[in-house]
Amino acid sequence: MTDDDQLNEIRQWAAGLSPAELQGMLTGILGGGLGRAVPNPPTPAPPAVPEPLPEPVALTVRVDIDGTRPAAWRRLVLHSDLMLDEVHANLQAAFGWQDYHLHRFWPGPTKQIWRGPHFVTEMDIQEGEEGVLESEVRLDQVLRSPGDRLFYTYDFGDGWTHTLRLESTARLDPDSAPAVCVGGRMAGPLEDCGGPDGHNELVEAYLTDPRLAGLDEDQRAWLPPDWDPKDLDLDDVAARLSLVGLSGDELLSMLPAADPSKVGLPEALESLLDLATPAVVSELAELSTQARTDITAQLTSEDLAAIARPYRYLVGLAGDEGIPLTAAGWMKPAYVEGTFRDLGMDDGWIGKGNREDLTPPVAQLRATCQELGLLRKHKGNLVRTRLARGLSSDEEYVGVITARLLHHRDTFVEASMVLFALFTAATGRPDWEHLERIAGIMTSCGLRTGPHGVDSRHCQEWVRPVRFALRLAAGERSLGRTAGRHDYRAVALARAALWPAV
């Protein structure tokens, strides 16, 4: 947990204290007892739930996202025998959330977010928490009579709390869908926009001027194209709800893979499919479609030569004798400086470029050549492998790069590398900005590198070789520069690595 996460938890806990409790805390601080005055937030007793109804019924529930102005809400007709983890999936679909963050259900009737009882998730259990699992509680155990309330928080950082209020009950049609949206207002808020306050600022800016002239350039660039916070398409909501509960195979069978302009997901992502939510599978399908459409340029012989040149240069430098290494395992300065200069890495780079440990572009090229199986260490030298000795053309070098670039012994590290290549092919840019979305996708698949899911900083380390190779293909020689006009090479290389048989 980061310092910001801890501070946020303390704030949320403090917000739930009574005046007397706050006074007691201040008294403890002023009396010098800070360690005693700021205890861990008290753990509430697990919620008590009654037995489910004898027969399932249809529940009409209005769901409001608290604090949004104008209010963003949906009216849902839900089967009362849905378990709360299934309700979570349907709420995600109803508002267009991406399930990138943690969530929690809090029973009513009183709203006691962060200080009242709550239902636990599988992730909570893995963290050592005890309680009533949401997957073991039916909706009709917490919403039974009109006026009953249930609360749901999504994304503990932004703090999107939803109030579910039961409006009516009716006889259940057994052939009806488990969840149907029959009304609502406003599009769902954007992920990671700063919670209700940030969302409200964006909405106010739009309602004042749909051109969003009141926002700065970075804010406008961050918003999706043609963003309209008022635009609620109930057909889109229905389509998302219809995907809830489908397996990865069922979702994939719905992809229009026979269409020449669209293809299935890269095979290397299969490890994620059994873990992915419908929203994630749909996002991956959309990215795959984008990655294979609007192909405006094929790689020419000049492009192949440009992509292969850095690798051919270092393999050629090794020659028959190899590149001598220092006692610390670095290439000797003369070889580093020659590579740095001859490949144009000195353009815009500060430094002499004669020490590999201080010249990341050279160090990363050397590491990539080793990872691709072109070079290896042998008796104090960096020598060509048998694979490298058998390569003679630019096309063969590029073939090795595409065949080996996205492979890793760890299945999920490999998945992150594939996702980075997929985002590159879909957006045209091998940028770090993809990391948050990659981390979000992996988190929503149930993977974690920390208490809040997969950390984008870990993704950064995993995808570094892929990003380097794609930016090198784009014409970049110095890690600090971007050569946008050559990005079609990065896109073509990413596509070839993702779909080698296409």
Side-chain angles (χ1 to χ4, degrees):
M1 180 180 293
T2 66
D3 291 343
D4 287 344
D5 291 332
Q6 292 174 328
L7 183 58
N8 191 42
E9 282 201 4
I10 292 173
R11 285 172 175 163
Q12 292 166 339
W13 166 67
L17 295 178
S18 67
E21 290 169 329
L22 284 171
Q23 182 62 44
M25 183 181 72
L26 290 173
T27 300
I29 294 173
L30 295 175
L34 182 59
R36 297 186 299 277
V38 188
N40 290 326
T43 302
V49 292
E51 291 297 316
L53 296 175
E55 295 292 336
V57 297
L59 304 178
T60 298
V61 178
R62 170 159 166 160
V63 186
D64 287 77
I65 301 182
D66 298 353
T68 55
R69 298 190 304 271
W73 60 272
R74 303 287 183 268
R75 179 168 286 113
L76 304 175
V77 179
L78 304 169
H79 286 200
S80 72
D81 58 353
L82 287 173
M83 311 308 285
L84 289 188
D85 60 329
E86 297 173 312
V87 176
H88 154 70
N90 282 291
L91 291 175
Q92 290 283 310
F95 288 97
W97 296 122
Q98 297 297 312
D99 205 9
Y100 287 165
H101 304 284
L102 300 177
H103 72 275
R104 179 165 289 174
F105 281 101
W106 320 80
T110 305
K111 185 177 182 180
Q112 300 183 81
I113 308 302
W114 302 114
R115 57 193 176 91
H118 64 271
F119 300 103
V120 298
T121 65
E122 293 289 352
M123 189 172 293
D124 294 328
I125 296 297
Q126 293 172 16
E127 288 294 314
E129 189 173 347
E130 297 180 353
V132 180
L133 268 170
E134 65 176 23
S135 58
E136 297 178 355
V137 178
R138 273 177 39 162
L139 184 58
D140 57 18
Q141 291 180 271
V142 287
L143 294 180
R144 300 171 74 89
S145 302
D148 285 351
R149 297 195 301 172
L150 173 69
F151 305 95
Y152 166 82
T153 299
Y154 171 63
D155 185 351
F156 297 168
D158 276 6
W160 302 102
T161 294
H162 307 55
T163 296
L164 288 73
R165 183 174 62 85
L166 178 59
E167 294 184 326
S168 64
T169 64
R171 186 182 64 82
L172 180 67
D173 178 356
D175 295 328
S176 63
V180 177
C181 182
V182 295
R185 185 186 186 193
M186 305 292 287
L190 300 172
E191 295 272 356
D192 304 317
C193 69
D197 289 342
H199 166 76
N200 292 341
E201 290 177 7
L202 292 174
V203 172
E204 183 179 1
Y206 180 90
L207 296 178
T208 301
D209 179 2
R211 297 171 301 173
L212 300 170
L215 301 179
D216 62 39
E217 185 176 350
D218 287 341
Q219 288 177 303
R220 290 195 299 271
W222 179 81
L223 290 169
D226 301 321
W227 175 71
D228 182 349
K230 307 188 310 307
D231 184 19
L232 170 60
D233 188 330
L234 292 180
D235 289 337
D236 284 346
V237 176
R240 292 196 299 266
L241 288 171
S242 71
L243 300 178
V244 173
L246 297 182
S247 68
D249 288 341
E250 289 171 325
L251 289 165
L252 282 179
S253 69
M254 300 169 63
L255 297 179
D259 187 330
S261 68
K262 303 175 182 179
V263 296
L265 301 180
E267 289 185 6
L269 286 181
E270 289 183 358
S271 61
L272 293 181
L273 292 183
D274 289 338
L275 307 174
T277 63
V280 168
V281 175
S282 296
E283 180 178 6
L284 295 177
E286 182 179 349
L287 284 170
S288 297
T289 299
Q290 293 173 357
R292 291 297 301 170
T293 55
D294 300 327
I295 300 176
T296 58
Q298 299 295 329
L299 292 178
T300 65
S301 57
E302 289 79 10
D303 294 325
L304 294 173
I307 293 172
R309 182 173 178 250
Y311 307 94
R312 298 196 70 167
Y313 177 91
L314 207 57
V315 169
L317 196 62
D320 294 329
E321 303 298 326
I323 299 172
L325 302 175
T326 66
W330 302 107
M331 293 192 297
K332 290 194 172 180
Y335 292 86
V336 177
E337 187 173 7
T339 302
F340 184 65
R341 181 187 61 251
D342 293 346
L343 292 180
M345 293 176 173
D346 56 343
D347 185 9
W349 185 264
I350 299 175
K352 294 182 179 180
N354 62 352
R355 286 183 53 181
E356 188 181 354
D357 57 329
L358 298 180
T359 314
V362 176
Q364 187 64 67
L365 175 60
R366 176 257 184 99
T368 303
C369 283
Q370 289 181 255
E371 290 162 1
L372 292 173
L374 299 174
L375 295 173
R376 65 183 180 90
K377 288 183 180 179
H378 179 68
K379 295 183 178 180
N381 290 282
L382 199 60
V383 301
R384 295 182 298 171
T385 62
R386 179 180 299 177
L387 171 65
R389 291 196 298 271
L391 301 177
S392 59
S393 69
D394 296 325
E395 186 174 4
E396 289 173 339
Y397 269 88
V398 174
V400 168
I401 296 169
T402 58
R404 293 170 172 247
L405 183 62
L406 303 181
H407 290 285
H408 195 277
R409 62 181 178 276
D410 186 298
T411 301
F412 296 112
V413 171
E414 181 176 281
S416 72
M417 298 165 72
V418 173
L419 286 172
F420 188 86
L422 185 59
F423 274 106
T424 297
T427 65
R429 301 183 307 278
D431 291 341
W432 283 134
E433 67 184 33
H434 304 321
L435 294 177
E436 288 294 338
R437 294 182 69 184
I438 292 171
I441 286 172
M442 299 185 76
T443 296
S444 66
C445 290
L447 303 174
R448 292 189 300 162
T449 61
H452 299 294
V454 175
D455 193 314
S456 62
R457 292 170 296 183
H458 296 143
C459 291
Q460 179 174 322
E461 291 306 311
W462 299 339
V463 308
R464 190 180 299 277
V466 178
R467 177 178 181 266
F468 174 81
L470 294 178
R471 295 190 76 174
L472 201 60
E476 182 179 343
R477 297 293 180 262
S478 170
L479 294 183
R481 299 182 60 211
T482 300
R485 67 183 184 278
H486 296 307
D487 277 1
Y488 73 89
R489 290 178 183 162
V491 169
L493 189 66
R495 284 174 177 150
L498 290 165
W499 294 284
V502 176

